[in-house]
Amino acid sequence: METENTIQGTIRNPKRTENVIEIRGLHMSFGSNRVLKDFNFVLHKGENVVVLGKSGSGKSVLIKCIIGLLSPDSGSIYVFGRNIPELSQAELDSIRIRVGFLFQSNALYDSMTVRENLEFPLRRHRLNLNKEQVNELVMEMLENVGLPYTVNMMPSELSGGMKKRIALARTLILKPDIILYDEPTTGLDPITGREISELMLQLQKKYNTSSIIISHDMKCVEFIADRIVVLINGTAYAEGDFENLRLHKDPLVHSFFD
Ligand SMILES: Nc1ncnc2c1ncn2[C@@H]1O[C@H](COP(=O)(O)OP(=O)(O)O)[C@@H](O)[C@H]1O
Ligand SMILES: [Mg+2]
């Protein structure tokens, strides 16, 4: 597959690897609101790419297009070599199992215990597992996020940081190849945000995932990004590593780092 990127910038790891996501000429509008305009993007295997953009710039819309929750006006979105907008519902489902999504809101089920929340994706997608295997996976994921003792608790009994960890554990339980994080540290205090960033990086190494992280928490961005794409006016306006963009001559870009 062609990996040439037309966007100018320095990339920390220029080694050519497999493209797990490749977006070309993506356009997405709501009525007269043109949110994405010829957006181009590549995620290489094993990479953590941050998409940086102001509130309302289309970051969540981008993620929803990637997982097929929104249909773009035009353009291609290849995930593992399959063009998402062209897939049938069944084909889309088979790709989605491999793409974990951490919602900004966590989206835990309030009426279910932590265990039931974690079991939920398994009951839908891993019907071959027996009770013992389900329990093992639930406990493995809770150990991963340092919260095995919360297994019988309700989400309402958890702090914001704990809910984020549980949501992360639930995302990981299907062992996805790609994880899409929508503002994973927004609304958390700086220390908890740092802990979540560390956990994301640690689990990325453990399970060898590739990630897109939507964020404007610059501490999280600096810590986690192999590469940063700046989304401005619906396009991938600039791209590079943290230092490269921080020192960028264009104020639209370096102002994110002030
Ligand atoms: N389902 C929708 N219907 C209409 N407009 C939407 C919808 N989802 C997002 N938008 C609009 O698209 C723009 C980008 O939204 P979003 O991607 O949520 O921004 P953010 O970068 O803050 O995540 C905003 O102007 C928002 O109002
Ligand atoms: Mg958003």
Side-chain angles (χ1 to χ4, degrees), residues 5 14-15 48 51 56 59 86 89 91 94 107 130 137 150 159 163 167 170 178 204 217 220 222-223 233:
N5 204 324
K15 207 171 56 193
N48 286 322
V51 176
K59 304 180 301 296
E86 288 177 348
Q89 194 58 47
E91 290 171 319
S94 71
N130 64 34
L137 263 176
T150 64
S159 69
K163 281 184 190 149
R170 187 179 60 180
I178 299 175
Q204 187 235 358
D217 169 356
C220 170
E222 182 173 19
F223 185 73
N233 293 330

Side-chain angles (χ1 to χ4, degrees), residues 47-244:
E47 249 188 334
N48 286 322
V49 175
V50 167
V51 176
L52 201 57
K54 284 189 189 155
S55 180
S57 62
K59 304 180 301 296
S60 296
V61 165
L62 172 66
I63 282 198
K64 285 172 187 162
C65 287
I66 294 172
I67 53 174
L69 286 177
L70 285 174
S71 304
D73 302 333
S74 60
S76 53
I77 306 169
Y78 284 90
V79 181
F80 306 119
R82 306 296 308 279
N83 189 15
I84 295 295
E86 288 177 348
L87 299 184
S88 67
Q89 194 58 47
E91 290 171 319
L92 195 55
D93 285 347
S94 71
I95 298 281
R96 272 208 198 135
I97 294 174
R98 300 177 63 190
V99 184
F101 181 27
L102 192 66
F103 290 90
Q104 193 172 343
S105 62
N106 299 324
L108 295 175
Y109 299 106
D110 289 333
S111 61
M112 295 185 190
T113 64
V114 166
R115 177 191 296 284
E116 288 162 345
N117 267 282
L118 266 68
E119 283 176 354
F120 196 81
L122 298 177
R123 298 216 181 285
R124 284 192 60 194
H125 300 295
R126 295 282 185 270
L127 296 168
N128 56 324
L129 299 180
N130 64 34
K131 213 176 155 190
E132 201 172 307
Q133 290 167 319
V134 166
N135 183 54
E136 263 172 34
L137 263 176
V138 167
M139 294 319 295
E140 176 189 338
M141 293 305 143
L142 288 179
E143 298 281 355
N144 274 334
V145 300
L147 295 174
Y149 60 91
T150 64
V151 66
N152 294 317
M153 289 166 79
M154 302 302 288
S156 60
E157 297 175 84
L158 308 174
S159 69
M162 289 162 88
K163 281 184 190 149
K164 191 61 78 182
R165 284 167 185 264
I166 298 300
L168 183 54
R170 187 179 60 180
T171 301
L172 276 169
I173 205 160
L174 293 173
K175 310 249 171 104
D177 297 304
I178 299 175
I179 304 186
L180 309 176
Y181 295 95
D182 197 350
E183 305 205 18
T185 61
T186 297
L188 301 176
D189 65 81
I191 293 170
T192 308
R194 170 79 190 194
E195 286 170 359
I196 296 293
S197 306
E198 285 172 359
L199 193 58
M200 287 162 58
L201 205 55
Q202 189 188 320
L203 293 173
Q204 187 235 358
K205 295 210 171 90
K206 181 167 178 180
Y207 293 105
N208 193 25
T209 52
S210 317
S211 315
I212 299 178
I213 303 116
I214 305 276
S215 185
H216 42 70
D217 169 356
M218 297 315 287
K219 288 271 178 261
C220 170
V221 172
E222 182 173 19
F223 185 73
I224 215 155
D226 295 318
R227 186 158 59 91
I228 301 168
V229 170
V230 186
L231 171 57
I232 299 176
N233 293 330
T235 66
Y237 188 86
E239 176 185 347
D241 67 21
F242 191 90
E243 273 311 288
N244 177 239

